[in-house]
Amino acid sequence: MEQEFHLSVGGVNIRVVSRLPLTVSDGVAHFLVPYFGNAVTITVKALEKDFDLTCAQTVGQDVHFTYYRDSESLYAVAIPGVDGSVSTAVYTPDFSEATLYINLRAFPDLRLTVDFVLQLFPLRQLLFLHQAVVLHSSRVNVGGKAIVFSAPSQTGKSTQAGLWQQYAGAEIVSNDRSILRQETDGFLTYGYPIDGSSPVFDNKRIPLGAVVMLAQGKENRVERLPVLSAVRCLTGQTVATPWDQTGNDVGQLWLNFAAVYPVYRLTCRPDREAVSCLKNRLERDGVI
């Protein structure tokens, strides 16, 4: 018996059709939407035999997948562990056809959920095809504008978001990852259904105000980064910069972004003054 699930991720409509029994986690439930047309369909099946990719061209690799290409299809093969690869996604460059094969022969005890399907699928490539990227970041909603805090792990993204909630009345809408998408009316922000170790699952679509790159320091100070410095920082915090079969460039997308939107560096302590320091600058610059 087939199951169908309809999701909106980064404003991209996704239809999951599964011949395997899937459950829905609490996080993914926030991304479920009613039935719609014009969706990318991911068909989920059990892997019956391994794909022979010896004649396929290896075209890229990131932390999650090795990518192959033959005359008809693209393949995203999960990086193998001791027991082999858990999945192979087969899809066309425009994602008009996409099938995810899960290796239940080698991994019979997998917990099959919709979010697990999204983890095994080259979702970042699909999003990038729609001018969207996933950024390591916490996101707060301040008066209808998104302030996105980005930094390496353990640098204070969640801490600053919590301080803004406590002292500036902000709403935390992402904790570890956010989607930023270039659309006709500017860059918009969205939640991500796989949001790290302390997730905040919220799929609100919020116009972007600014991105703030964090650094720990003994005093609180804020500066606006020049465009090229901003692009380097943003590229460094992009989640698993995808290999892209269309030739598009994540750096170019960030260059488009930084030419219009402010990117700040906030060197800060984890205190109320850090909120005031940044808030005063954002108000002065007309961001919020």
Side-chain angles (χ1 to χ4, degrees), residues 11-221:
V12 178
N13 296 330
I14 299 172
R15 173 175 171 255
V16 176
V17 178
S18 179
R19 299 181 183 178
L20 305 176
L22 301 179
T23 58
V24 177
S25 66
D26 291 342
V28 165
H30 292 270
F31 295 78
L32 294 177
V33 295
Y35 174 78
F36 45 73
N38 194 30
V40 173
T41 298
I42 303 171
T43 302
V44 182
K45 299 180 180 179
L47 179 69
E48 295 181 357
K49 63 177 182 179
D50 294 335
F51 286 90
D52 183 4
L53 298 175
T54 54
C55 295
Q57 178 187 6
T58 305
V59 290
Q61 185 171 10
D62 58 29
V63 297
H64 301 284
F65 304 107
T66 300
Y67 299 97
Y68 301 87
R69 183 174 199 154
D70 61 21
S71 59
E72 298 179 353
S73 300
L74 295 160
Y75 303 82
V77 181
I79 300 298
V82 174
D83 297 320
S85 295
V86 70
S87 66
T88 299
V90 185
Y91 54 103
T92 54
D94 63 355
F95 287 90
S96 58
E97 297 180 19
T99 303
L100 177 67
Y101 296 91
I102 299 179
N103 188 358
L104 294 178
R105 292 180 291 119
F107 302 91
D109 299 324
L110 288 174
R111 181 173 174 262
L112 298 178
T113 62
V114 176
D115 56 321
F116 188 55
V117 167
L118 297 179
Q119 287 177 312
L120 297 178
F121 191 75
L123 182 59
R124 291 172 306 282
Q125 278 200 38
L126 171 59
L127 291 171
F128 190 53
L129 195 65
H130 293 268
Q131 296 293 290
V133 289
V134 182
L135 190 69
H136 279 293
S137 57
S138 295
R139 180 177 61 127
V140 298
N141 181 6
V142 183
K145 289 287 186 71
I147 306 303
V148 176
F149 296 100
S150 184
S153 297
Q154 307 301 314
T155 307
K157 299 186 298 292
S158 299
T159 298
Q160 288 300 318
L163 290 169
W164 271 73
Q165 181 183 53
Q166 182 177 0
Y167 296 119
E171 176 190 15
I172 300 175
V173 285
S174 298
N175 187 56
D176 188 57
R177 295 176 185 180
S178 310
I179 297 173
L180 279 66
R181 183 180 178 189
Q182 185 176 13
E183 302 187 29
T184 55
D185 50 351
F187 275 81
L188 299 175
T189 69
Y190 299 83
Y192 195 63
I194 309 156
D195 191 35
S197 58
S198 300
V200 175
F201 295 113
D202 194 314
N203 202 24
K204 286 187 175 69
R205 175 181 182 269
I206 305 171
L208 181 70
V211 173
V212 180
M213 311 302 299
L214 297 176
Q216 296 177 348
K218 295 182 179 180
E219 62 180 25
N220 297 308
R221 65 180 186 274

Side-chain angles (χ1 to χ4, degrees), residues 211-278:
V211 173
V212 180
M213 311 302 299
L214 297 176
Q216 296 177 348
K218 295 182 179 180
E219 62 180 25
N220 297 308
R221 65 180 186 274
V222 60
E223 60 180 323
R224 182 168 178 173
L225 294 175
V227 169
L228 293 182
S229 296
V231 170
R232 283 194 294 270
C233 291
L234 291 165
T235 303
Q237 293 309 314
T238 302
V239 178
T241 302
W243 167 77
D244 174 57
Q245 69 276 0
T246 67
N248 293 326
D249 180 18
V250 170
Q252 182 60 53
L253 184 66
W254 284 133
L255 190 62
N256 296 343
F257 171 89
V260 178
Y261 289 85
V263 178
Y264 299 94
R265 177 182 287 117
L266 175 65
T267 303
C268 59
R269 303 185 301 264
D271 58 18
R272 184 172 187 169
E273 185 184 310
V275 176
S276 299
C277 176
L278 178 60

